[in-house]
Amino acid sequence: MPQKTDRMSVYWKKNLRTLLILLLVWFVVSFGFGIILVEPLNQIKIGGYPLGFWFAQQGAIYSFIVLIFIYVVRMNKLDREFDVHED
Amino acid sequence: MDILTWTYLLVGLSFALYIAIAIWTRAGSTKEFYVAGGGVSPLANGMATAADWMSAASFISMAGLISFAGYDGSVYLMGWTGGYVLLALLLAPYLRKFGKFTVPDFVGDRYYSNKARVVAVICALFISFIYVAGQMRGVGIVFSRYLEIPIEWGVVIGMAIVFFYAVMGGMKGITYTQVAQFCVLIFAYMVPAIFISMQLTGNPIPQLGLGGEVADGTPLLEKLDGVLADLGFSEYTSGRKGMTDMLMITLALMVGTAGLPHVIVRFFTVPKVKDARLSAGYALIFIAILYTTAPAMAAFGIYNVINSTSEKNISELPAWVQNWQKTNLINVDDKNGDGKVQYLADPVANELTIDKDIMVLATPEIAQLPNWVVGLVAAGAMAAALSTAAGLLLVISTSVSRDLVKNFNPEISEKKELQIARLSAAGAVIFAGYFGVNPPGFVAEVVAFAFGLAAASFFPVIILGIFSTRINKEGAIAGMITGLIFTVSYITYFKFINPGINSEDHWWFGISPEGIGSIGMLLNFLVCYFVSKFTPAPPQHVQDLIQEIRIPKGAGEAQDH
């Protein structure tokens, strides 16, 4: 079944691309904004929060939640598109 | 009613609830014992995962840790939540599709090798034992402080409760008690946090209160930076740790979280691949409620402590200081004899020592909250410790009964296997209790081990096992062993053999033992890749298995062999 195998490898590539983009954001909000760029970002104040500090202790965590839910929605769509969804 | 009566009442009620749930959800088969029958809803599993994950340390100690570490404490906040992104995206859905009961199951099958399986079992056991001893100690401390009974008895009561529902109910009993425990612990954490945020900043939401203003109109964080700087400490919002070390510790904690067997196994309990993804999202929401509140509690706590003690007359200190002096969690020593408390960064002149656990445990008293809130915090801390202990005990018993006994004696009956599982759970409870009563001095030290080991052993071989079809058993075994030996040696050297030189000047590339798991993980990846490159590819049936776990369709329920 070469056709089926091809379709599966397209599915897998699309999955990998989704992962790559989401993990890039994961890296940027935590390691990037929360650690590497924390000093310059701290010059910006959001309410009483220095922005870099906010990312390190609040913002990164909120972003993580959003990332997982984007992944859930995107993969559910992809599964249906390639007819590999359950039930 | 006084504090003690409230505490007995609330702790007693919560225990009665856990026992009732345990009786209602008794496990009848190995499948129910190992993965709760595989029929847990994603929402319930999310709550159970959150309770499983948030230990006595998260509940009692984390806020205090951040109080004193300030910005540097962010490594724990990002590290212990960011791992769930890795778990949701890279591990949970595929391991669910694989559909067996344990992490060593996956390692053994994917790498078609019992040697790989045994290495994985040893890692799982080691990590879980380290963790569980700490939980039992937590139970003992809460009992002795709040119920005024000796720590030993506290541990014994804790053991009896966990024994009852983990041994009877297996994963099924644990899952549903964890759901209840999550509700108890999060309610207990949030009530004082909301009160104290209101008092300090006028904002009932602690996450916003942290960015809010104190009575005189200055932002809380700015005020705190100033107060700490005046006392000779570094600013709350800026870091002292080197950037490399911050990055490495955060990475090790994230990857370690994603590699912890008692967390991974929770994703085997949901019916579908889709549910495994969703359930990781729910779990992180539930965890984030506590993890975004903790930094607020941390800042409120240290601000309150300094305000109510620094430069105050010793005879006029608030009542909570005296109460907690009895437990040695706070100590005042008037070194210069001026009758006042000087809280200073300079250890020679400093007169106030505060244990980090104060920030959560004493909060209700510091904020002068009603007595029932104190009892509630006790019940919450207990829920956090018991739920984590139960999850770990299950990993230990499963590792013994399934990965060792059943795997090497495939002919034993299900009834016999279930008996062995229960027996080993019972053995593990007793072991944990022993270390709860007689804590080895190094419990705090070895926590770095648990995360370092999970990061350096499991994570790379599971990821490569899913995302590469070329990695073979030679690579996986060599990788796991390299990662393990490197990480264990580095931590052992700086923590036990030569603790005198455990400082930035001597660490390799400025990486502390807490962060070295990241390097162990990289080594594991590299060795795994290169050894596999020069040894034969995995057999066809394994390649088919990999293709199979990459697509959700046809997951079915978690299967026995």
Side-chain angles (χ1 to χ4, degrees):
Chain A
M1 300 176 289
Q3 228 176 350
K4 195 186 163 204
T5 322
D6 282 352
R7 256 182 90 67
M8 281 311 101
S9 73
V10 176
Y11 168 80
W12 187 243
K13 276 200 187 108
K14 287 200 167 186
N15 174 16
L16 291 182
R17 217 179 59 205
T18 308
L19 291 183
L20 212 67
I21 296 167
L22 293 175
L23 287 178
L24 196 72
V25 179
W26 167 80
F27 182 85
V28 169
V29 295
S30 52
F31 296 94
F33 295 161
I35 301 177
I36 300 170
L37 296 173
V38 69
E39 299 284 334
L41 286 177
N42 275 348
Q43 305 309 316
I44 306 165
K45 298 277 190 297
I46 301 284
Y49 277 116
L51 189 59
F53 181 85
W54 181 79
F55 265 106
Q57 302 212 335
Q58 302 275 316
I61 304 177
Y62 302 134
S63 314
F64 295 153
I65 297 177
V66 174
L67 286 175
I68 297 184
F69 280 92
I70 292 177
Y71 172 74
V72 168
V73 172
R74 166 101 187 113
M75 287 310 285
N76 284 348
K77 228 183 101 201
L78 201 65
D79 289 350
R80 290 200 169 272
E81 202 181 308
F82 283 83
D83 195 32
V84 291
H85 59 284
E86 301 140 293
D87 64 44
Chain B
M1 279 200 285
D2 65 353
I3 289 183
L4 197 62
T5 321
W6 269 117
T7 310
Y8 269 102
L9 184 71
L10 290 175
V11 171
L13 277 177
S14 66
F15 280 10
L17 175 67
Y18 308 150
I19 291 175
I21 294 174
I23 294 173
W24 170 56
T25 54
R26 245 186 358 256
S29 65
T30 49
K31 196 173 154 193
E32 286 189 339
F33 194 90
Y34 293 144
V35 293
V40 180
S41 83
L43 190 67
N45 189 49
M47 282 194 202
T49 310
D52 205 329
W53 173 235
M54 292 190 284
S55 60
S58 292
F59 190 96
I60 302 173
S61 310
M62 194 173 61
L65 212 63
I66 300 166
S67 287
F68 297 111
Y71 165 76
D72 287 350
S74 316
V75 294
Y76 303 109
L77 296 167
M78 288 188 286
W80 286 333
T81 52
Y84 279 84
V85 178
L86 301 176
L87 205 53
L89 271 56
L90 303 176
L91 300 174
Y94 308 108
L95 291 177
R96 175 61 198 83
K97 176 65 194 294
F98 170 69
K100 295 269 180 75
F101 298 148
T102 67
V103 175
D105 257 349
F106 176 77
V107 175
D109 284 13
R110 164 62 182 84
Y111 295 107
Y112 47 100
S113 153
N114 268 334
K115 267 191 214 123
R117 189 188 305 261
V118 170
V119 176
V121 172
I122 293 169
C123 295
L125 285 176
F126 191 73
I127 295 167
S128 305
F129 271 127
I130 289 172
Y131 240 85
V132 82
Q135 301 310 315
M136 281 300 163
R137 188 68 187 166
V139 172
I141 290 173
V142 173
F143 266 109
S144 71
R145 166 60 187 92
Y146 286 108
L147 301 176
E148 296 176 12
I149 53 176
I151 287 194
E152 294 75 33
W153 281 104
V155 173
V156 170
I157 297 170
M159 278 167 61
I161 302 279
V162 175
F163 181 84
F164 191 79
Y165 70 76
V167 175
M168 294 302 293
M171 188 56 129
K172 200 174 166 203
I174 288 174
T175 301
Y176 293 105
T177 31
Q178 278 172 339
V179 171
Q181 282 160 338
F182 173 78
C183 300
V184 172
L185 85 85
I186 205 70
F187 185 66
Y189 203 81
M190 294 312 289
V191 167
I194 289 169
F195 273 115
I196 217 159
S197 181
M198 279 288 274
Q199 288 178 352
L200 270 182
T201 66
N203 196 326
I205 302 169
Q207 287 82 348
L208 299 178
L210 180 57
E213 293 165 354
V214 288
D216 66 2
T218 341
L220 171 75
L221 288 167
E222 200 179 308
K223 185 100 180 167
L224 200 53
D225 279 348
V227 171
L228 286 170
D230 287 345
L231 300 173
F233 295 95
S234 55
E235 285 190 347
Y236 192 78
T237 55
S238 34
R240 278 143 281 170
K241 280 192 167 84
M243 189 185 284
T244 318
D245 200 27
M246 286 286 287
L247 292 170
M248 288 302 148
I249 297 178
T250 308
L251 184 63
L253 295 178
M254 283 182 178
V255 173
T257 300
L260 284 179
H262 71 285
V263 176
I264 294 178
V265 74
R266 289 240 46 102
F267 294 95
F268 291 88
T269 64
V270 293
K272 290 179 193 151
V273 172
K274 196 166 101 176
D275 301 329
R277 297 177 189 142
L278 184 60
S279 158
Y282 283 136
L284 187 57
I285 291 184
F286 296 131
I287 291 166
I289 299 174
L290 192 144
Y291 271 64
T292 54
T293 304
M297 286 286 273
F300 300 156
I302 190 79
Y303 182 78
N304 268 330
V305 165
I306 293 175
N307 259 355
S308 51
T309 57
S310 183
E311 294 300 324
K312 295 283 186 302
N313 282 322
I314 288 176
S315 52
E316 290 163 16
L317 288 175
W320 62 266
V321 178
Q322 270 128 54
N323 286 343
W324 288 88
Q325 263 181 317
K326 284 182 228 152
T327 57
N328 276 328
L329 289 184
I330 194 163
N331 276 307
V332 179
D333 172 16
D334 190 11
K335 289 177 187 159
N336 60 4
D338 68 350
K340 291 182 177 179
V341 180
Q342 274 87 34
Y343 178 56
L344 298 166
D346 175 10
V348 182
N350 177 41
E351 301 180 344
L352 180 72
T353 47
I354 318 158
D355 188 281
K356 57 182 183 334
D357 295 352
I358 280 280
M359 299 298 170
V360 168
L361 295 179
T363 298
E365 291 157 83
I366 297 174
Q368 296 168 328
L369 300 182
N371 288 345
W372 61 268
V373 180
V374 181
L376 188 64
V377 170
M382 210 78 89
L386 292 177
S387 57
T388 307
L392 291 162
L393 289 173
L394 193 88
V395 168
I396 294 171
S397 75
T398 312
S399 296
V400 174
S401 66
R402 180 177 174 83
D403 298 328
L404 293 177
V405 178
K406 172 84 176 178
N407 186 50
F408 291 100
N409 307 281
E411 73 288 351
I412 62 166
S413 69
E414 176 165 337
K415 208 174 151 209
K416 183 92 186 153
E417 189 185 344
L418 199 56
Q419 264 176 15
I420 296 170
R422 288 206 160 104
L423 268 178
S424 37
V429 171
I430 292 166
F431 177 91
Y434 175 80
F435 284 107
V437 176
N438 307 299
F442 53 85
V443 162
E445 312 284 79
V446 292
V447 170
F449 260 130
F451 283 91
L453 292 190
S457 60
F458 286 138
F459 186 76
V461 296
I462 300 177
I463 293 286
L464 289 174
I466 297 163
F467 290 87
S468 159
T469 49
R470 184 60 184 81
I471 300 299
N472 57 21
K473 71 170 171 191
E474 290 84 359
I477 296 172
M480 275 200 283
I481 291 177
T482 313
L484 265 183
I485 292 182
F486 171 79
T487 309
V488 170
S489 317
Y490 193 87
I491 298 177
T492 312
Y493 181 75
F494 282 111
K495 290 282 189 184
F496 302 110
I497 299 178
N498 217 338
I501 62 157
N502 185 13
S503 68
E504 212 172 336
D505 309 332
H506 298 96
W507 297 334
W508 292 359
F509 311 109
I511 301 169
S512 59
E514 286 74 21
I516 202 66
S518 300
I519 304 294
M521 171 192 78
L522 287 178
L523 284 177
N524 184 338
F525 270 121
L526 288 176
V527 170
C528 215
Y529 177 79
F530 283 106
V531 171
S532 299
K533 217 175 144 94
F534 296 109
T535 40
Q540 191 57 42
H541 76 272
V542 172
Q543 310 236 13
D544 293 345
L545 171 79
I546 301 164
Q547 296 303 343
E548 179 69 13
I549 62 173
R550 287 179 176 183
I551 55 166
K553 201 170 194 168
E557 296 170 324
Q559 290 297 318
D560 211 331
H561 282 299

